């Protein structure tokens, strides 16, 4: 299992109101309305919330438009001079949002207190939602980053102790926010995986070299997919021609080594 990859975390979420798919506002907009109700001024309310007068007024216009009825009534008198107040609908929106927000927080607290690894499963579902054409996907943590002149070598260690070495550009390393202990995926296409006879001292330039046993063969019209189990959980898939599979006398249970170059590894991080 990969419990060492599951961080201790809480559950947070922002509540937003929408009308026909368009966001009416969230906590910041409702806070703005609440401050207008307190001080009777858009200018003062904007300062209290920490936004400019224009930003505050644009937000009010948007909310009035989406709500279909004014939420803020502004008296004449120029910028900041005429005073403003919430309409009955605006006051009702603030009150209802506060009630919904309180219920929302109680709901999050209840979920966070659930037993049975509910949050761990939510994190797992997030991982499973990733879509990629790469047949081999390794989830792990970055244990080492070695910078070079142009590229950086990244070592990812899975929960089963399998190390995967990748070489990526410095720009990619920074863009992905890779640091030691960061969670990441190593992706390798099955066509990039080489099959080597087990027990033979074969030297290759591939940094990623593992030993296992064939757990399954999936022959097709031209190619055969070979699944090699490194342990009870980690399996590496390779694609070879049917001719190669016959020449190597591949069959289930046979010891086999697999290898792939570090340049064939793509590093990805959860969105």
């Amino acid at each position: 299992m990969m419990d060492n990859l599951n961080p201790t975390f809480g559950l947070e979420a922002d509540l937003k109101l929408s009308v026909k798919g368009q966001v009416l506002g969230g906590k910041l907009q409702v806070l703005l309305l609440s401050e207008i109700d307190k001080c009777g001024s858009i200018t003062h309310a904007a300062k209290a919330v920490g936004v400019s007068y224009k930003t505050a007024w644009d937000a009010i216009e948007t909310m009035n438009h989406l709500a279909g009825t004014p939420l803020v009534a502004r008296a004449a008198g120029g910028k900041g001079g005429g005073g403003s107040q919430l309409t009955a609908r605006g006051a009702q929106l603030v009150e209802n949002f506060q009630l919904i927000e309180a219920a929302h927080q109680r709901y999050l607290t209840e979920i966070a207190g659930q037993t049975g690894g509910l949050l761990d499963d939510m994190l797992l579902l997030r991982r499973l939602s990733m879509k990629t054409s790469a047949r081999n996907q390794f989830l792990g943590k970055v244990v080492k980053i070695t910078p070079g002149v142009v590229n950086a070598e990244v070592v990812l260690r899975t929960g089963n102790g399998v190390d995967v070495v990748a070489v990526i550009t410095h720009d990619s390393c920074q863009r992905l926010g890779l640091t030691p202990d960061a969670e990441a995926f190593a992706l390798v296409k099955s066509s990039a995986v080489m099959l080597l006879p087990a027990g033979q001292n074969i030297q290759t330039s591939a940094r990623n070299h593992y030993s296992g046993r064939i757990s399954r063969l999936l022959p097709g019209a031209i190619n055969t997919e070979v699944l090699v189990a490194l342990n009870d959980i980690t399996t590496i898939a390779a694609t070879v021609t049917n001719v190669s599979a016959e020449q190597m006398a591949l069959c289930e249970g046979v010891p086999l080594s697999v290898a792939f170059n570090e340049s064939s590894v793509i590093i990805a991080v959860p969105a």
Side-chain angles (χ1 to χ4, degrees):
M1 301 299 292
M2 305 185 68
D3 293 340
N4 59 327
L5 294 179
N6 292 338
T8 300
F9 58 93
L11 189 62
E12 298 181 4
D14 290 329
L15 181 65
K16 293 184 179 180
L17 300 177
S18 63
V19 177
K20 295 181 179 180
Q22 290 186 285
V23 177
L24 176 64
K27 185 178 295 185
L28 180 63
Q29 288 82 357
V30 173
L31 180 59
L32 177 64
L33 295 178
S34 179
E35 290 296 331
I36 292 174
D37 190 43
K38 291 179 182 177
C39 60
S41 165
I42 296 178
T43 300
H44 293 158
K47 290 181 179 180
V49 174
V51 299
S52 67
Y53 176 85
K54 183 181 184 305
T55 298
W57 184 243
D58 288 345
I60 291 170
E61 284 190 323
T62 299
M63 287 188 287
N64 284 343
H65 173 71
L66 292 177
T69 183
L71 303 179
V72 177
R74 183 177 177 221
K79 180 179 178 181
S84 301
Q85 63 181 19
L86 297 186
T87 63
R89 184 68 185 90
Q92 181 188 44
L93 177 65
V94 172
E95 180 181 358
N96 287 342
F97 185 91
Q98 291 172 346
L99 292 174
I100 295 172
E101 175 71 12
H104 181 62
Q105 291 302 323
R106 289 195 299 270
Y107 170 70
L108 293 179
T109 301
E110 181 180 350
I111 290 181
Q114 292 284 345
T115 58
L118 178 59
L119 292 181
D120 288 344
D121 285 345
M122 292 174 66
L123 182 61
L124 174 59
L125 290 173
R126 178 188 174 207
R127 294 166 179 164
L128 295 178
S129 66
M130 184 180 69
K131 296 180 180 179
T132 172
S133 62
R135 185 66 173 83
N136 299 291
Q137 303 177 27
F138 306 94
L139 172 64
K141 283 189 175 182
V142 176
V143 294
K144 185 179 181 181
I145 299 177
T146 304
V149 177
V150 178
N151 298 322
E153 182 182 270
V154 180
V155 180
L156 192 74
R157 180 166 296 162
T158 71
N160 298 305
V162 176
D163 286 357
V164 179
V165 182
V167 171
I168 61 177
T169 64
H170 290 302
D171 178 67
S172 295
C173 196
Q174 294 177 355
R175 179 168 48 83
L176 296 173
L178 296 181
T179 58
D181 289 333
E183 183 178 285
F185 291 92
L187 311 176
V188 184
K189 290 187 174 182
S190 60
S191 57
V193 179
M194 298 176 285
L195 299 182
L196 306 170
Q200 295 186 19
N201 187 21
I202 299 178
Q203 300 295 325
T204 73
S205 62
R207 290 289 307 280
N208 301 286
H209 198 147
Y210 316 96
S211 297
R213 289 181 178 273
I214 298 177
S215 61
R216 186 184 302 179
L217 293 174
L218 301 173
I222 300 175
N223 297 321
T224 295
E225 183 177 76
V226 184
L227 302 181
V228 180
L230 307 187
N231 49 50
D232 292 339
I233 296 179
T234 305
T235 300
I236 295 181
T239 300
V240 298
T241 64
N242 292 340
V243 174
S244 295
E246 292 178 2
Q247 290 177 343
M248 295 182 70
L250 300 180
C251 60
E252 294 184 10
V254 171
L256 199 66
S257 293
V258 293
F260 50 87
N261 290 316
E262 57 272 29
S263 58
S264 299
V265 181
I266 298 174
I267 297 295
V269 297

